Each structure stands twice: as structure tokens, then as C-alpha cells.
Amino acid sequence: LFRSLTSTMGSAQPINFSEAPCDPCNTPSSSSGSSSRHGARRDSRFCGSSCPPRRRANVLPAVLVLLSTGSAVAEEVVPMVLQERSWNESYRLAEDKLDELTPWEKHRLVNGVGWHRPFTWTPGYFVGNVAGNPEKRIPWLKMQDSGSGFRCFRQEAVNTSVMWPSPLAAASTWDDQVVELLAAFIGLEFKSKGSNVILGPAVNVHRVAQGGRNFEYMSGEDPYLGSRLARAYVNGANSQGVMTVIKHFAFNEQETNRHQENSVVDDRTAWELYYPPFEAAVHAGAASVMCSYNVVNGTHSCSNEALLQRDLKGKMGFRGFVMSDWGASASTGLAQGGDVDMPGFADSWYSIDKVAVSPALNESARRVLAAMYRHKLDEDSSLRGCVPPSCLSSIATDTITTEGVALAAELAKSAIVLLKNHNETLPIDARWIKRIGVLGSAAHAKPAGFNPRDPVAGDE
């Protein structure tokens, strides 16, 4: 499958670690090689004169036909490839729209809806929501988690989407082409369920082996790999007109005490080890970056001016908007680089009485609007689709396809890495091996396929 996939991708090339690695920031190398715009000597692994050409997911029709073993694929299964607007054009449209809005309408762009105290989600909304304004032709932002595809957290939505292999499994394929295809499929599933924002990918570089969300972090332990795959994922999702939210920025490499722990990081370590996947996603056109729960060098991430204004928006050149992780805002952080508070409460740090007086409100609202225009959400069904809190039926839409299940299975197979074959134990020969021990807490778990409707042991 994947060799055939490679042959259909035209100019796309598989990862070759013997070649000179590209600069994930698309930044020309210094002739002296001694310094960079970050004020620290560049790591040679991330330098280069150019990156591979940016690829679009326009190979999906051919791959879908391949996955369907030669049979015709229904047109609705084959997604169209969206050509985004430029950031400059998007900002021009955002500036024009901003002139039409009242302070209250601007506030609605920077404070989420759909949750109420103490921390309760309202049925009919998505996990995250920014309210639209049909009179001003501003679409809703409808966000959903995506660790293994569309998160079906409501009973009526269970068994309606493919259970994709984890992002870490996708990283284990070492194949940015496949990751781009995976993101395009997930983006299509999101659109089919009425969502236009993927709360992912998570690209933190592993630091703590016991990290509670390492399975969700696509970079693994390698910032160069993470840079390649982050770019691929953003390209795939963007091809479907679906926003990506790159998370968790930054240095959120552990779950233990994640609300209190202080990550102390110097500039060189940040730029050479932990920033590259985020920077690559920024230059691929990510719409949003999610600031994290932890403290960074003594200041909470979501109100950390050095992190958000200086590094992300300044040095990386990020033009989208920053949203908080759910409940991560520790202050009204507009001036420090935060833009949207999630999940949003009437009495949150971004309540109307707090943000209406902030000179930075216009800048944050402008960034949200620009991201909408860049993805052409003003032109598609986002303005005509489900409107929270009337989205339960859309969320429960069945998006499982034969092609999606086949890709998930092949991706999982490709993710398997054999480090050592002691005594040539593999492949298992049933003539000699009669019993296999399965150890650990998962030993009693029911087996399940990538199609959640497949029967599992005990169902019959």
C-alpha cells in the first residue's frame, strides 16, 4: 500500500535521513553558520538552504481508489483540496470586518461558549466553541479533540468514527506522506460531523518517559522528525479547509503537576530541542496554537509575554491566534499574547468587563477573523451548518468508511518497529510455538478493530 502511495505522490519524497536536513522554519542559512535570528548558535541538524516543496493532499483520489482495491469510490468520499487565502489577504478582510463590530461582538471572538461553572459542558455544543455572528457573516468555530481522530465523548456518537492509531504510532512510520494523508482523512471526518477546528496535533518533544500524554505527542523524542510530521499534518488538514490547533505550547512534557510545575528552559535548549515542531507547523499555516497549563520560567504559559509575543508571534512569525488550554488562563493575557480563553465562562479572565478595556482586544479579534478568512470559513457550509446547541445529530453522523478503516490498519502495521530479532524468534512458527504469554494491565482488554462496530470478544 505505502509503496503504491509513494508512487502516486509526484514530487513528494520519503524521509531520507542521510540527506542534509531542511530548516523547519524555511529560514535562509547564515553564510557564516555562527548565529541565527534567535540569538543562539543554530544546531546543524536544523539548518539547510531549503525545505522539500510544500505538498498538498491532492493525491487522495488516487489513494482512495487504491484502498478500495480498484473499485469506484463514491464522489462524496473523495475530498476537494482547498487553496487557502494568503495571510495578507486574510488580514485585509479581517480589518474590514473589524470595523463593523461592536466591543461586545469583538469580545465574542475571544471568549469561548458552551460551558458553565463549575466546569460543565452543555449538550449540543462541541468541546470548544467560538460563537458566530450570522448577521455579520462570521462563522462559528466548532472544535473537537483529536488524539485518535474525532473524539466521540457523547454516547450517541460512539461507534461513528474511525479509531485512528495514536499520533505516536503515526510518528513511528517515519513517513510524512502518510501523516499528511491521515490528517486529510481526519479533516474530512471533522467536516462531516460539523466541526471546522481540530484540537491538534500535539507536537511536544518527549522529555519524561512516563509522560501521561506521550502517546499523543507526534514528535516522539526527535525534534527533526516532529518538524517534518507537524508540517505534513497541517498541510493535510488545511487541504480540507479545517483549522489545526498546535499544542501544547510550551514545555508541557509531563502531566504530573501540570498546572503548577515550572519548566525552566534557556533559549538555546528551547530553539534547538522543543520549538522546532511548533515552528514548522507555524510555517505550514497552522491557524492556532494552544498555550499550556504549566509555568515557564516563572510565568504561566498563557500570559507569558516572552513565550507568546517574543518567540511565537515575533521570532516564529505566527499570524494565527493563541487559545488557552481548558482553564489554563491565569490572568487576562491579551497584552501578553493570549487571544482566546477556553472553554470560556461569563466570569472568566476574558469576560466582557475585563477585555473591553484592553487595547489589545482589536489585535486578538483580528487574528481570529484572519484565521477564519484564511481557511475560507466565510464561504463554506460553516455558515449554514449546525449551530450549537443544535449539533447533537451532526456530532453523531457516521463517518466510518472502508477506505478510512483500511488506511488506519495499514498505518498501524507500518508503525510497528522491530528493534532486535533474538534467535530469529519472528516470524512465529506455529509448528514450534504453541503458547504466547500476554503480560500487563492490558492483557485482559477486549480486542477491537479500527472500525468500532466490528464485533469484539464476548459480544456474541
Side-chain angles (χ1 to χ4, degrees):
L1 170 70
F2 291 118
R3 299 289 69 75
S4 300
L5 171 62
T6 300
S7 69
T8 69
M9 306 263 321
S11 63
Q13 299 296 322
I15 295 178
N16 179 1
F17 286 93
S18 64
E19 66 186 8
C22 80
D23 174 19
C25 323
N26 297 321
T27 305
S29 300
S30 167
S31 58
S32 66
S34 61
S35 64
S36 75
R37 69 192 188 288
H38 308 319
R41 186 173 62 84
R42 300 181 68 89
D43 188 314
S44 60
R45 290 177 300 163
F46 303 117
C47 298
S49 59
S50 63
C51 285
R54 181 175 178 182
R55 296 175 285 100
R56 312 305 305 164
N58 54 5
V59 300
L60 281 173
V63 176
L64 287 170
V65 171
L66 173 67
L67 287 169
S68 61
T69 63
S71 60
V73 179
E75 290 185 4
E76 60 267 23
V77 176
V78 180
M80 299 298 293
V81 177
L82 176 81
Q83 297 299 322
E84 312 104 302
R85 293 187 176 102
S86 70
W87 277 116
N88 287 341
E89 181 184 3
S90 301
Y91 266 88
R92 179 184 61 77
L93 293 170
E95 191 65 44
D96 292 342
K97 183 63 64 177
L98 201 63
D99 291 339
E100 303 175 17
L101 303 183
T102 66
W104 172 255
E105 290 169 327
K106 296 173 186 176
H107 164 258
R108 285 165 60 88
L109 292 170
V110 303
N111 197 43
V113 296
W115 292 69
H116 56 274
R117 299 290 187 186
F119 213 86
T120 306
W121 169 81
T122 304
Y125 285 82
F126 289 82
V127 166
N129 313 266
V130 169
N133 186 337
E135 292 183 359
K136 300 293 177 68
R137 289 197 60 76
I138 296 175
W140 279 74
L141 293 183
K142 296 170 284 188
M143 315 168 188
Q144 200 75 3
D145 292 323
S146 132
S148 293
F150 189 93
R151 182 184 178 189
C152 299
F153 64 100
R154 288 281 300 181
Q155 182 60 42
E156 56 266 30
V158 172
N159 296 347
T160 64
S161 64
V162 174
M163 177 60 70
W164 297 96
S166 72
L168 186 58
S172 296
T173 68
W174 298 80
D175 195 326
D176 46 4
Q177 301 163 357
V178 172
V179 169
E180 183 171 345
L181 184 63
L182 166 68
F185 264 92
I186 291 176
L188 182 61
E189 286 190 333
F190 269 62
K191 285 177 62 175
S192 300
K193 287 178 172 290
S195 174
N196 50 23
V197 182
I198 296 173
L199 293 172
V203 298
N204 296 75
V205 176
H206 293 189
R207 179 178 183 272
V208 179
Q210 301 92 334
R213 296 178 77 170
N214 281 359
F215 76 94
E216 190 181 354
Y217 289 161
M218 187 180 290
S219 298
E221 297 177 314
D222 189 330
Y224 174 63
L225 175 65
S227 300
R228 291 286 294 264
L229 300 186
R231 184 187 301 113
Y233 194 104
V234 172
N235 287 345
N238 282 357
S239 75
Q240 303 307 302
V242 177
M243 292 184 181
T244 51
V245 180
I246 312 304
K247 59 186 188 180
H248 303 88
F249 194 72
F251 317 115
N252 183 197
E253 270 69 27
Q254 68 181 58
E255 288 295 282
T256 302
N257 300 321
R258 64 178 181 174
H259 291 272
Q260 295 84 31
E261 71 91 5
N262 181 27
S263 299
V264 180
V265 189
D266 64 87
D267 275 358
R268 181 173 180 179
T269 302
W271 288 103
E272 293 183 0
L273 291 180
Y274 296 105
Y275 279 174
F278 290 95
E279 191 168 16
V282 165
H283 286 271
S288 181
V289 169
M290 182 184 293
C291 55
S292 51
Y293 289 116
N294 55 298
V295 176
V296 175
N297 293 331
T299 304
H300 280 279
S301 297
C302 292
S303 51
N304 192 314
E305 188 170 2
L307 189 68
L308 303 180
Q309 292 284 35
R310 184 192 68 189
D311 292 352
L312 179 64
K313 294 181 177 180
K315 293 179 180 179
M316 292 187 199
F318 177 56
R319 304 191 71 182
F321 62 95
V322 174
M323 74 166 68
S324 74
D325 206 337
W326 271 226
S329 295
S331 65
T332 305
L334 293 178
Q336 290 73 41
D339 296 308
V340 178
D341 182 61
M342 281 293 170
F345 300 106
D347 60 345
S348 74
W349 285 108
Y350 283 56
S351 60
I352 181 64
D353 59 306
K354 294 182 177 69
V355 303
V357 298
S358 173
L361 175 58
N362 276 359
E363 172 63 15
S364 293
R366 184 184 296 111
R367 283 178 173 271
V368 175
L369 289 169
M372 292 176 175
Y373 286 123
R374 178 168 168 78
H375 286 75
K376 297 184 177 180
L377 299 188
D378 57 314
E379 293 184 357
D380 71 8
S381 60
S382 298
L383 285 169
R384 302 185 299 275
C386 75
V387 175
S390 302
C391 289
L392 284 178
S393 60
S394 292
I395 292 172
T397 298
D398 191 337
T399 60
I400 297 174
T401 63
T402 301
E403 295 78 21
V405 172
L407 177 62
E410 292 295 336
L411 193 156
K413 294 175 187 176
S414 185
I416 297 171
V417 178
L418 178 63
L419 299 179
K420 184 176 182 180
N421 193 7
H422 184 63
N423 292 333
E424 298 185 354
T425 303
L426 297 177
I428 294 173
D429 190 334
R431 293 175 300 173
W432 313 111
I433 306 298
K434 302 301 182 182
R435 302 178 66 187
I436 298 176
V438 181
L439 309 178
S441 60
H444 299 288
K446 291 182 177 181
F450 296 103
N451 182 343
R453 293 193 299 272
D454 287 344
V456 298
D459 280 357
E460 61 278 357

